[in-house]
Amino acid sequence: MSGATHRSSRRAEPGAGPPPAAVGTTRRTLLRGLAGAAGAGLTGAALSGCSSPKDVARASTSDPWRQFAGTTLNFISENTAPTAAIAANLAPFTELTGIRVNIVTLELTALVQKVALDLASGQSQYQIIYADPYQVLAPYSKGLVDLRELAADSSVPHLTGGFGDFIPTQLEAAGKFEDRDKVFALPYDCPTMIWHYRKDLFDKHHDAMSNDLGFDPTPSADTTWDQYAAIAKWFNDKTDDIPYGTGHQAKQHDSLMCDFSNVLWSYGGDYFDNGKAVGSLGTTDPGRCRLGSDEAAEAAAFYDRLLASADPASRTWDWDGVGAAFRAGRIAMCPNWHEFAASNEATMPGKVGYARLPKGPARSASHYGGTGIGISANTLPNERRAAWLFTVWATAPRTQLANLKSRAGGGTPTRTSVYELPEVRKAEKRPSAMPNMLTANAVDEAWKPANIGLRPKIPMWNECDTAIYTQLSRMLLGDAKPAEAMRDTADRIDRIVARGWVS
């Protein structure tokens, strides 16, 4: 999961599905083998035994946008807000290019499996790929096109604003892997965890909280996690306006890793040495896991205490669950992805505030969950150029602005130039026609290099993620002490990393 709001699939999947896994082969073994195949440069040979595919036709025209008119492309994506917005308004792209795009939206795990199978097949059922940095880009980067080659191709439209228009931390985290000189995906969405709070209740009880707690409870750059916990307990004990002070996405699921990571990083802990580099540029060899450190144990102990006073249903919630609970008036505040602001404002307009997450002993850290879109390296030359047209259009400032306004989906821009538009700046204050922009100040702080939280971008991350949230769940159930849970997680991750990705 990249952190964006889930939505149901809007289009039927085109064509036949990929070949099934061999009987007796586990999904993990299959994907590891496919990663090796993709890594070996399997971009032309068809393992499936099918005849060689034909390239799409290229018309002789003076309009570079129309040279592949009549082509059909397939875009496979997680069911995210930007894709929902694009799916609802594809007509401008088709009118511009004459290209039809089928959009397949899936849950991320299913997407990863289909992408892996497609890359290993040597052909490209899906020309355009939602390249989750951790589950697609890191393990399969050699199966993706280096987009700088297409950006330099004078026969196709250029990338509006160039690579430099993308927010730098996002371009590296969502678009690159190990090699700074290659770009495998263009930043497409940017969900980031921030502090959502009931501003109406904070305002109502401000003086009483200040007197009782001995500090200003208004969320600010100086607010600490200890103060956050104290505010949560105050709401539990001192008011009947709302059942619980805080709620969390602490289900035994990827969401639990996301929620805990904010605290881990703020305490100075990390999953590996050089955590920022491992999270931004990525690596195939991250070294030994550092969850056995004192900082990680302290972070886990605090998180355990925090959850003990949170809404007990937190252990059943992912990001959607905690978002729904917040909108239903069960909790006064929560950490959640910033793109839930649109739903908040639709349900309780004017009652919600947004801030950067609290700081720990080391720093404030807000988990970034953004993803890019890339092009399969199995595509043939003209098909690849046609896919480039969609990739350029889908991430263009004009399209990102339209997505921001869309009632069908949304998301927030990944380009600096969009945030500088007068109408977008105006939308940062209520009344806002673009409610996600109400989080602008919070995410602007969160995306700064000192504050951005980046999980490890390594090929074996999916297994590591499972180990993390499994042990955290044991801790929250009382089956493991915080330090023990961290040590056991570190041991498990070390075994995963030592085994490597390709056997």
Side-chain angles (χ1 to χ4, degrees):
M1 167 66 189
S2 60
T5 307
H6 276 196
R7 296 182 181 268
S8 59
S9 175
R10 294 179 175 268
R11 293 179 181 268
E13 182 176 346
V23 175
T25 301
T26 66
R27 176 179 176 275
R28 187 190 71 196
T29 303
L30 172 65
L31 295 186
R32 289 176 64 208
L34 293 176
L42 195 59
T43 59
L47 290 184
S48 60
C50 298
S51 58
S52 298
K54 296 178 67 174
D55 203 355
V56 303
R58 187 177 190 179
S60 178
T61 174
S62 59
D63 184 352
W65 286 100
R66 301 287 302 181
Q67 56 188 314
F68 304 111
T71 297
T72 297
L73 299 172
N74 297 324
F75 171 32
I76 186 168
S77 173
E78 187 182 6
N79 38 9
T80 66
T83 297
I86 283 176
N89 193 30
L90 270 171
F93 178 74
T94 302
E95 292 168 4
L96 176 68
T97 64
I99 296 171
R100 180 187 173 208
V101 179
N102 296 317
I103 298 181
V104 183
T105 56
L106 298 171
E107 185 274 329
L108 183 59
T109 301
L111 176 145
V112 172
Q113 186 170 18
K114 285 188 178 292
V115 167
L117 289 165
D118 199 43
L119 293 178
S121 76
Q123 299 188 30
S124 53
Q125 181 180 356
Y126 307 109
Q127 295 88 4
I128 306 153
I129 296 169
Y130 180 88
D132 178 84
Y134 316 98
Q135 298 192 47
V136 174
L137 176 58
Y140 307 122
S141 62
K142 292 183 180 178
L144 300 173
V145 172
D146 178 4
L147 299 179
R148 288 189 178 271
E149 297 173 3
L150 288 162
D153 186 342
S154 61
S155 70
V156 291
H158 70 282
L159 181 63
T160 306
F163 293 104
D165 191 32
F166 292 100
I167 295 167
T169 50
Q170 296 181 20
L171 179 63
E172 187 153 288
K176 301 182 180 183
F177 184 66
E178 292 196 307
D179 189 339
R180 292 187 187 278
D181 295 328
K182 293 183 178 180
V183 177
F184 297 108
L186 298 181
Y188 177 68
D189 61 19
C190 54
T192 303
M193 295 190 78
I194 59 171
W195 186 352
H196 301 227
Y197 65 98
R198 286 288 300 273
K199 186 176 185 302
D200 58 334
L201 298 181
F202 272 66
D203 289 346
K204 177 181 177 180
H205 298 294
H206 176 273
D207 292 346
M209 279 197 284
S210 295
N211 291 334
D212 290 346
L213 298 174
F215 60 84
D216 186 346
T218 305
S220 73
D222 294 324
T223 307
T224 67
W225 275 113
D226 283 335
Q227 290 174 333
Y228 180 99
I231 293 168
K233 192 172 187 306
W234 190 94
F235 274 104
N236 288 352
D237 298 340
K238 299 289 188 176
T239 177
D240 295 327
D241 285 347
I242 203 157
Y244 294 97
T246 187
H248 292 263
Q249 45 188 274
K251 180 180 179 180
Q252 187 172 330
H253 177 271
D254 177 60
S255 59
L256 175 52
M257 177 279 301
C258 293
D259 197 55
F260 168 70
S261 293
N262 298 309
V263 175
L264 173 69
W265 293 320
S266 76
Y267 269 71
D270 214 325
Y271 294 103
F272 299 97
D273 284 340
N274 302 314
K276 288 189 177 182
V278 173
S280 57
L281 193 59
T283 181
T284 55
D285 183 14
R288 293 184 63 83
C289 181
R290 296 306 182 199
L291 286 180
S293 69
D294 291 342
E295 292 85 355
E298 291 170 7
F302 170 80
Y303 189 74
D304 194 34
R305 293 194 302 274
L306 179 63
L307 266 290
S309 63
D311 188 321
S314 295
R315 296 180 182 87
T316 70
W317 292 337
D318 60 7
W319 36 77
D320 288 325
V322 75
F326 182 70
R327 294 191 300 274
R330 282 186 62 122
I331 53 179
M333 58 185 182
C334 62
N336 208 354
W337 305 104
H338 81 280
E339 291 178 345
F340 277 84
S343 299
N344 294 342
E345 298 304 316
T347 305
M348 40 188 177
K351 294 183 177 181
V352 182
Y354 306 96
R356 191 188 74 183
L357 287 176
K359 65 182 182 180
R363 64 177 178 124
S364 170
S366 292
H367 201 139
Y368 166 78
T371 293
I373 54 172
I375 298 173
S376 170
N378 289 342
T379 50
L380 295 171
N382 288 343
E383 186 179 42
R384 184 173 299 188
R385 293 185 179 98
W388 170 250
L389 299 190
F390 179 79
T391 305
V392 168
W393 176 84
T395 60
R398 181 178 298 182
T399 305
Q400 292 198 349
L401 179 61
N403 291 351
L404 191 56
K405 297 177 179 179
S406 174
R407 293 184 179 182
T412 42
T414 59
R415 288 177 171 271
T416 301
S417 61
V418 179
Y419 291 96
E420 294 172 349
L421 295 172
E423 65 179 308
V424 175
R425 287 192 176 277
K426 181 180 178 181
E428 294 177 9
K429 297 182 179 179
R430 294 183 175 91
S432 177
M434 310 172 199
N436 279 340
M437 287 309 303
L438 295 173
T439 68
N441 290 336
V443 295
D444 183 57
E445 285 296 313
W447 291 334
K448 290 179 178 177
N451 300 327
I452 194 167
L454 298 169
R455 75 191 83 167
K457 192 162 63 177
I458 57 177
M460 61 290 291
W461 173 248
N462 196 33
E463 286 187 82
C464 296
D465 184 14
T466 301
I468 294 160
Y469 64 67
T470 299
Q471 291 298 327
L472 285 170
S473 290
R474 288 184 63 231
M475 178 187 78
L476 295 178
L477 289 170
D479 293 338
K481 298 294 185 183
E484 175 192 357
M486 292 295 96
R487 288 194 301 271
D488 287 351
T489 307
D491 289 344
R492 174 62 180 151
I493 289 176
D494 282 340
R495 290 195 297 272
I496 293 167
V497 171
R499 188 182 66 237
W501 175 245
V502 180
S503 58

